[in-house]
Amino acid sequence: MAWPLIRLIPRQTHFRFVKWAPVAAAISALLIVGSCVSFFTQGLNLGIDFKGGVAMEARMPTPIPLGELRTELKRIGVHDAQVQGFGSPNSAMIRFLPEAGQNANTEAAQIKQKLVAHFPTMTMPAPSVIGAKVSGELLGSGFKALGIALLLMLGYIWFRFQWQFGVGAVVAVFHDIILTLGLLSVLHIEFSMTSIAALLTVIGYSMNEKVITFDRLKENLRKYKTTPLRDIIDLSENERLSRTIITGSTALLALGGTMVFGGPVLFPLVFTMTFGILIGTYSSVYIALPLILVWGVKRGDEEATPIKLGAGTRP
């Protein structure tokens, strides 16, 4: 089924990507402003990892029915509890926020008593209480990891290409992160440690797209030394368009299935990665490359090969 669909993708296209760069820049600027407004007005919907709470492990001699466990927690009044497999099918981790003004250990003991009454074979070790200080340190460490990843990738691209490429790539990745966080804030999707992992994955995918984009651009800059830069950018993007469509579609198909059938626990992770792939592909074309067009680049010293403007064909 897949092969006939892939054959429908044109091998040669003639799109003028640079022509629409000013429009894309205006749209991106508006979205960034909207994301910042959402941050300051309602912030992120921080999960238990970053707000503190109670973690309880549940064990049974047989596989734990996670769906039934979630239903029972809701029935006994534990709202927004997180339940997920932990290690083996016979273990599960329960995380929840204690009620305001109630002792966390007391509430955990009450919940444990009610769960054991409903699941007679269930055993639950002593709960762990995550304090606000620890959760704050986790949040700071998570964003520190994002910053370090960006700096390392900036250094790699600067070494691999030119400083203009590196700055353009990092600005584009910042664009991707801000818009992804803005969407999570607007939709009030829970932000936890798994969201940090998703953002790191988004950074990796986005930077990979930009390396491939820059590599094709660098090759064409060496070959077509006398051709205007905007025409070389259009040529390079048209040459790699089919590859972008195929790889992006493959990733989105896999994530789409997980988003539909993965359940509420995996939804924030998969949703973040899905949007990140889409916005990362967009920023490679309309953020990173236009910035290079603004700053200019040093051409190679190889003999130039002239091309017709808008040819869009592979050399």
Side-chain angles (χ1 to χ4, degrees):
M1 293 294 293
W3 173 243
L5 295 178
I6 291 176
R7 292 180 61 185
L8 295 177
I9 300 175
R11 295 180 61 85
Q12 296 181 359
T13 55
H14 309 278
F15 297 114
R16 306 292 279 181
F17 293 98
V18 175
K19 177 182 178 181
W20 300 102
V23 177
I27 294 174
S28 293
L30 289 175
L31 292 176
I32 289 175
V33 171
S35 298
C36 293
V37 170
S38 182
F39 291 149
F40 286 109
T41 55
Q42 66 179 18
L44 292 169
N45 179 23
L46 298 179
I48 294 174
D49 294 334
F50 299 141
K51 288 195 298 186
V54 179
M56 305 172 62
E57 183 182 356
R59 302 172 184 170
M60 294 180 66
T62 57
I64 293 182
L66 298 179
E68 185 179 350
L69 180 56
R70 293 190 185 99
T71 302
E72 180 62 16
L73 286 167
K74 186 178 295 185
R75 188 190 69 80
I76 63 180
V78 184
H79 301 290
D80 298 326
Q82 299 178 2
V83 180
Q84 60 188 90
F86 183 68
S88 69
N90 296 4
S91 299
M93 182 61 70
I94 303 169
R95 292 186 174 92
F96 66 92
L97 288 174
E99 295 290 337
Q102 187 168 349
N103 182 274
N105 289 312
T106 301
E107 184 176 357
Q110 295 173 352
I111 294 173
K112 175 181 177 180
Q113 183 179 5
K114 294 177 181 179
L115 288 178
V116 172
H118 185 80
F119 301 97
T121 60
M122 179 177 289
T123 58
M124 304 182 72
S128 300
V129 179
I130 305 173
K133 181 178 179 180
V134 174
S135 60
E137 291 175 354
L138 285 174
L139 182 61
S141 298
F143 280 102
K144 187 183 296 184
L146 295 177
I148 292 173
L150 285 174
L151 288 175
L152 291 175
M153 291 180 182
L154 169 61
Y156 168 75
I157 292 186
W158 193 335
F159 174 78
R160 177 69 175 79
F161 301 100
Q162 300 177 29
W163 69 267
Q164 296 96 325
F165 289 83
V167 175
V170 170
V171 169
V173 172
F174 266 116
H175 164 276
D176 300 344
I177 294 175
I178 291 173
L179 292 192
T180 302
L181 290 175
L183 185 64
L184 295 178
S185 175
V186 169
L187 299 181
H188 212 59
I189 295 176
E190 184 181 76
F191 186 81
S192 62
M193 287 300 293
T194 56
S195 301
I196 294 289
L199 285 175
L200 288 171
T201 304
V202 167
I203 290 174
Y205 184 92
S206 179
M207 198 62 74
N208 178 68
E209 280 291 306
K210 287 153 186 61
V211 167
I212 294 172
T213 300
F214 294 159
D215 194 59
R216 172 59 64 177
L217 178 61
K218 183 178 179 181
E219 178 182 333
N220 285 334
L221 284 171
R222 289 172 174 172
K223 191 168 186 179
Y224 306 117
K225 193 168 56 176
T226 61
T227 303
L229 181 57
R230 63 173 51 243
D231 295 309
I232 296 182
I233 290 176
D234 283 336
L235 171 66
S236 301
E237 281 306 300
N238 279 291
E239 287 178 346
R240 77 177 198 96
L241 183 60
S242 61
R243 177 261 173 205
T244 301
I245 294 174
I246 293 172
T247 56
S249 300
T250 302
L252 291 176
L253 283 173
L255 290 172
T258 308
M259 188 183 300
V260 174
F261 301 107
V265 174
L266 291 178
F267 180 81
L269 170 70
V270 179
F271 179 85
T272 303
M273 293 175 62
T274 300
F275 180 76
I277 287 175
L278 293 172
I279 203 67
T281 303
Y282 161 84
S283 69
S284 297
V285 180
Y286 287 113
I287 302 297
L289 289 177
L291 287 175
I292 294 175
L293 182 63
V294 171
W295 292 325
V297 293
K298 181 181 178 181
R299 300 294 183 97
D301 297 328
E302 291 83 355
E303 183 179 355
T305 303
I307 61 171
K308 295 181 181 180
L309 299 184
T313 57
R314 187 179 299 275

